[in-house]
Structure formats: C-alpha cells, structure tokens
Amino acid sequence: MKRIICWLGIATLAMAGVALAQGTEKKPKAKKAAAPVDKEAVERGRILFEKKCALCHNADSDVRKIGPGLKGLNQRGKFSVNDNKITDKTLKAWIESGDEQMPPFKEVLSEKEIMDVVRYVRTL
Ligand code: HEC
C-alpha cells in the first residue's frame, strides 16, 4: 500500500511540472503604432479635410483662400494667426474652437475625427 501512495505522489508531481511548463509560454506584445505615421488616420483626415476645410483652406499651397493656405504650416512650426506652436494639442484646440473668422468644429466632428484631421494637417 505504501508503494502505491508513493507512486501516486510522483505521478502527481510530474503532471504538475508539465502544467507549469506550459503556463509560462509568453504571448508576443502588440506593437504600439507611432502617432505621427498612422497612415490610415492621415487618409481619414484627408477625406474629412476635403469635405469640411478645403472650402476655406488650400492644402497644397500657402495661398490664402478664405483662410490661410495650410501647406508648410507644420514645417514652419507656428500658427500664422497667433504665433502659437503647432502641436497636436494646439491644432485640436484650434479646430474645436475656431475664432471670429473660422467656424468651430466641436459640434460638427467627433473628437476622433478632429484628431484624424490633425494627423493630416501635420503632414502638410
Ligand atoms: C468658413 C471658412 C473656414 C473653414 C470651413 C475652416 N477654416 Fe480654418 N481658418 C479660417 C480662417 C478665416 C482662418 C484665419 C483666422 C484668423 O486669421 O483669425 C483659419 C485659420 C486656420 C488655421 C490657422 C492657420 C495659420 O496659419 O495660423 C488652421 C490650422 C485651420 N484654420 C484649420 C482648419 C481646419 C483643419 C478646418 C476643417 C476642420 C478648417 N480650418 C475649416 C476659415 C475656415
């Protein structure tokens, strides 16, 4: 009888060992998309820009339409309207609120859509 109990003990330990070994397998981590090169967001932003902004802004030149042409804005690094630094945050705030000459888009576009437009504008 003692022998049987002993064997059972060894068998249980062996099975536990196998289970442990299987449990330690690691899943590969999903890579984070780097913010400025999210091509799909840029493309969504481009389409939104065509619909909502192109009426007043050139994207392919700095020639003024109703508002300033936006080509080169990102490289210049500053708004021409107020000298503020161009960042995702300042652009988002600008598009959300507009000013006395530009309509606000807070109620027109969702936050996500505004961020897509920001992504696009940052490629200009
Ligand atoms: C009805 C016309 C109109 C529409 C539509 C419009 N804007 Fe404007 N926008 C303007 C005007 C006018 C100015 C300049 C405001 C000023 O001089 O005070 C401006 C300024 C800007 C500026 C600052 C440019 C600079 O050189 O400092 C950005 C960026 C901008 N708009 C982005 C957008 C985006 C993105 C959209 C679409 C979501 C948009 N605008 C839609 C009229 C418009």
Side-chain angles (χ1 to χ4, degrees):
M1 191 57 190
K2 254 192 185 168
R3 276 238 168 115
I4 292 173
I5 290 171
C6 185
W7 276 116
L8 273 175
I10 290 167
T12 312
L13 276 176
M15 285 195 301
V18 169
L20 270 177
Q22 282 172 346
T24 54
E25 226 173 272
K26 274 188 188 160
K27 280 183 192 165
K29 273 188 188 165
K31 273 189 190 161
K32 271 191 194 167
V37 287
D38 184 342
K39 283 192 185 147
E40 284 168 30
V42 170
E43 179 56 16
R44 287 194 303 269
R46 191 185 64 76
I47 292 165
L48 286 165
F49 188 94
E50 292 301 321
K51 287 189 193 153
K52 305 286 182 188
C53 323
L55 168 80
C56 297
H57 293 287
N58 285 316
D60 55 0
S61 88
D62 58 5
V63 173
R64 194 175 179 95
K65 253 181 168 178
I66 295 172
L70 299 184
K71 179 86 189 158
L73 177 90
N74 194 53
Q75 273 160 10
R76 194 170 70 234
K78 282 184 174 179
F79 284 83
S80 64
V81 291
N82 56 16
D83 238 23
N84 282 348
K85 225 178 132 192
I86 299 283
T87 67
D88 289 358
K89 228 175 146 184
T90 55
L91 270 175
K92 177 168 180 271
W94 176 269
I95 296 166
E96 276 175 355
S97 313
D99 74 348
E100 57 281 353
Q101 295 179 56
M102 172 170 149
F105 282 86
K106 207 177 166 62
E107 310 293 327
V108 181
L109 299 173
S110 71
E111 192 170 348
K112 188 173 164 286
E113 287 172 323
I114 290 177
M115 281 318 294
D116 289 344
V117 173
V118 167
R119 292 266 163 275
Y120 172 65
V121 169
R122 299 217 66 177
T123 68
L124 299 178

